[in-house]
Amino acid sequence: METSEIPPRPAGRAANAIKHGFCAVKYVSDKLSALADRIRIELMRIHDPCTDEEIDTIEDLALAKAHLQHIESAWDKTADQDASKARDHYRRQSISQFRNDLNFWADAPATNLETIGRTFGGAEYFVRLWTGIVESLAPGGPGLTFDQASKAALSKGSHWEISLMNSSGAWIMTRFVRTAIDPAGELCKWIATSGGSTDRSRAEWYLERTPDRAASRAELAAEAALQLERWSKRLKELRQDYETKSDTAAECFMGILPGDRTQTDKFRLHLRYLTGARNQVERCQKRLDALKKGRNLAAHRSARKSARMSPASAPETAGVAEPIALPELPEQPNASTEPEIQPGTVETPKDVEAPSPPVPEDPPVTQVTENAMSLEVPVAVAPDSSESPKPQLRTATPQMLIGEDLLDRRIPLGTRIDNLAKMFGITFDESFETDDSNSMDFESFATPREQREFEAWRLTMERSIAEQEFEDEA
């Protein structure tokens, strides 16, 4: 069985997530879930969602807010703990900086003397150094050691090595050899530590110009007292600033300390998680605001969709057939029309002739269907008559409604239709309801050419209404 090596996983976001333990797709702890439920209930009360999409968005927003609150709480606790130790952090940082300055000063005392001397740690170090030298040079004291002498030379801004020292360093070292308990042994140690082949002759040259033991001790004691006073004054000036910064370190703590690599990395990682959680909350909030803003549009679309799907509100698309029967006229004729008076039904004077309807210009319709032959049209009766109106069969051409404005060819057909609708007291939409007994039948007063014109006009209106509804839906 052949085995193949699995290549190493490339470094990336997935590897970083595994490293920090955030590799689950969606994991919610019990504590976080309870907090998210409380937040969700409050958000439901505030926003009052109307759709399932808004409810889902509120649930995501509640979970994001709970996660953000958890991270902020952890960050506050960490910051409080670090702030309580801020004074110690500041002091440790000062000590660490002093050690670096001390190494630089030992390598180049002339260049870095002022750098270390302007810090509280450096001033305190020089005060301790010269205090020990003063005590060693006091009457009855043991005198300087080689370490004290070499550091005193460095504090004067000079190397203590024979080949590298200047006049200030030679002044300190030669007087140290003169005041030592074993001058010959200290000279040999000084020469051996310096490491130069010609260092003995140079050291002897400086020693020839150095006073005796008593004078050298007195000069060293005076110089040590002067340097102690100088550095004590410097330390007093720097102490107030150091203590002030140490006391306010907790108030000025921002999560990181200059030069503290571990603290800086921890702060950046926590800030990264905090920023991601805040961005997630902002995205959910923007989505919820967008859904709430479009509530009116969604309700309008839902209503239009339900109206389209409802069979009762679906528009009629089939052509309207020509009516073959006349509608029943109202019992009380309109005042603007002249009723027909049939002979024999009402007594009228013999010298009065019944008016006849005007003859249309177009040739009359000669073909009459069987249904039109059996139509019953009521007749008018006298007001003081007790007889009930009797229907009369129509065997001639369709009855024409009397009215100058309805039959005037100079008036547009649409205007005449509107006038007729006003006479009957119905609207344009109601005129197409064939089941209504009061619906209009324009063929009853129009010629065949006007019927065709009216049919074309009605189809144009239906098409225009349908296009307008389509544009509104779009």
Side-chain angles (χ1 to χ4, degrees):
M1 181 178 180
E2 297 181 359
T3 58
S4 59
E5 296 182 358
I6 300 176
R9 187 166 188 170
R13 293 184 177 180
N16 192 24
I18 293 177
K19 176 181 178 181
H20 297 290
F22 292 92
C23 52
V25 176
K26 187 176 181 181
Y27 171 75
V28 183
S29 61
D30 296 338
K31 180 179 179 181
L32 195 63
S33 178
L35 178 60
D37 290 340
R38 293 195 297 269
I39 296 176
R40 180 180 57 81
I41 294 174
E42 183 67 17
L43 292 176
M44 288 286 188
R45 184 186 65 82
I46 295 174
H47 298 284
D48 190 16
C50 300
T51 60
D52 295 340
E53 191 173 5
E54 290 184 12
I55 295 175
D56 295 340
T57 305
I58 286 179
E59 291 180 355
D60 294 340
L61 179 60
L63 184 60
K65 282 181 173 292
H67 186 57
L68 175 60
Q69 184 174 345
H70 175 69
I71 294 178
E72 289 178 342
S73 177
W75 170 246
D76 290 340
K77 292 179 181 179
T78 303
D80 292 341
Q81 293 177 359
D82 293 341
S84 63
K85 302 176 183 178
R87 181 189 294 270
D88 296 338
H89 283 309
Y90 180 77
R91 291 180 178 177
R92 290 178 183 178
Q93 186 65 30
S94 300
I95 294 173
S96 177
Q97 186 64 36
F98 166 72
R99 289 175 180 174
N100 295 332
D101 295 341
L102 193 64
N103 294 330
F104 294 145
W105 169 65
D107 295 338
T111 305
N112 298 318
L113 177 62
E114 289 299 325
T115 302
I116 191 175
R118 286 194 295 267
T119 62
F120 177 79
E124 188 179 19
Y125 173 78
F126 289 130
V127 167
R128 289 196 305 266
L129 174 63
W130 289 107
T131 300
I133 293 175
V134 169
E135 293 175 356
S136 299
L137 295 175
L144 296 179
T145 62
F146 182 80
D147 184 64
Q148 288 178 336
S150 61
K151 290 180 179 179
L154 292 174
S155 66
K156 295 287 290 183
S158 172
H159 289 281
W160 57 267
E161 291 88 346
I162 298 175
S163 59
L164 299 176
M165 66 182 180
N166 55 22
S167 58
S168 299
W171 191 91
I172 296 291
M173 294 304 295
T174 54
R175 281 159 179 74
F176 157 68
V177 173
R178 287 294 186 187
T179 59
I181 298 175
D182 184 9
E186 295 294 342
L187 178 61
C188 293
K189 180 180 180 181
W190 182 28
I191 295 172
T193 309
S194 299
S197 58
T198 59
D199 290 342
R200 179 175 288 278
S201 59
R202 292 177 65 85
E204 291 176 355
W205 184 88
Y206 282 113
L207 286 173
E208 290 176 358
R209 292 161 177 78
T210 303
D212 57 2
R213 177 185 178 88
S216 296
R217 189 181 182 93
E219 291 177 356
L220 282 175
E223 181 65 20
L226 183 62
Q227 292 294 328
L228 178 60
E229 182 181 0
R230 174 195 172 191
W231 288 109
S232 297
K233 184 178 179 180
R234 177 74 64 83
L235 179 62
K236 185 178 181 181
E237 295 175 355
L238 296 174
R239 182 182 297 277
Q240 183 178 1
D241 181 67
Y242 175 78
E243 291 180 353
T244 302
K245 291 182 178 180
S246 179
D247 294 337
T248 59
E251 299 177 2
C252 300
F253 179 73
M254 298 297 295
I256 58 175
L257 292 173
D260 193 342
R261 183 68 178 177
T262 304
Q263 185 72 14
T264 302
D265 292 342
K266 182 180 70 173
F267 171 78
R268 288 180 177 177
L269 181 62
H270 210 144
L271 184 62
R272 175 181 168 187
Y273 295 148
L274 186 62
T275 303
R278 288 175 177 173
N279 292 339
Q280 181 65 20
V281 171
E282 185 177 357
R283 284 192 293 269
C284 294
Q285 186 66 48
K286 287 183 178 179
R287 178 169 178 79
L288 180 60
D289 294 341
L291 292 174
K292 291 176 61 178
K293 188 176 181 180
R295 282 180 179 178
N296 295 334
L297 180 59
H300 175 70
R301 290 178 176 176
S302 178
R304 296 303 297 268
K305 182 178 180 181
S306 60
R308 289 195 307 267
M309 296 179 62
S310 176
S313 62
E316 297 181 2
T317 57
V320 180
E322 296 182 3
I324 59 176
L326 291 175
E328 295 182 0
L329 297 177
E331 296 181 1
Q332 297 295 336
N334 195 293
S336 62
T337 59
E338 298 180 2
E340 295 182 357
I341 302 176
Q342 301 295 334
T345 57
V346 180
E347 296 181 359
T348 57
K350 295 182 180 180
D351 56 348
V352 179
E353 296 180 357
S356 60
V359 180
E361 296 179 2
D362 292 345
V365 180
T366 55
Q367 296 180 358
V368 181
T369 58
E370 182 179 356
N371 294 334
M373 295 291 294
S374 62
L375 289 177
E376 297 180 359
V377 180
V379 295
V381 297
D384 54 352
S385 176
S386 59
E387 298 180 0
S388 59
K390 297 180 180 180
Q392 180 182 3
L393 293 178
R394 185 187 182 99
T395 57
T397 57
Q399 180 184 359
M400 305 299 294
L401 297 178
I402 300 175
E404 298 179 358
D405 56 346
L406 299 180
L407 301 178
D408 190 356
R409 299 290 183 129
R410 293 172 297 180
I411 301 176
L413 179 61
T415 304
R416 286 183 283 166
I417 293 174
D418 294 337
N419 294 335
L420 183 61
K422 291 178 182 179
M423 291 174 58
F424 285 99
I426 59 178
T427 61
F428 176 79
D429 295 336
E430 293 173 349
S431 64
F432 293 98
E433 298 177 1
T434 56
D435 294 339
D436 190 359
S437 60
N438 294 328
S439 61
M440 295 194 309
D441 186 3
F442 298 104
E443 288 75 2
S444 62
F445 69 90
T447 62
R449 184 176 62 83
E450 291 177 342
Q451 294 177 10
R452 292 191 297 271
E453 183 181 356
F454 168 74
E455 184 65 23
W457 175 78
R458 184 172 60 180
L459 293 177
T460 303
M461 292 294 295
E462 291 180 353
R463 188 180 302 106
S464 176
I465 294 173
E467 291 177 356
Q468 183 65 28
E469 291 182 355
F470 179 76
E471 291 178 359
D472 294 341
E473 294 176 0

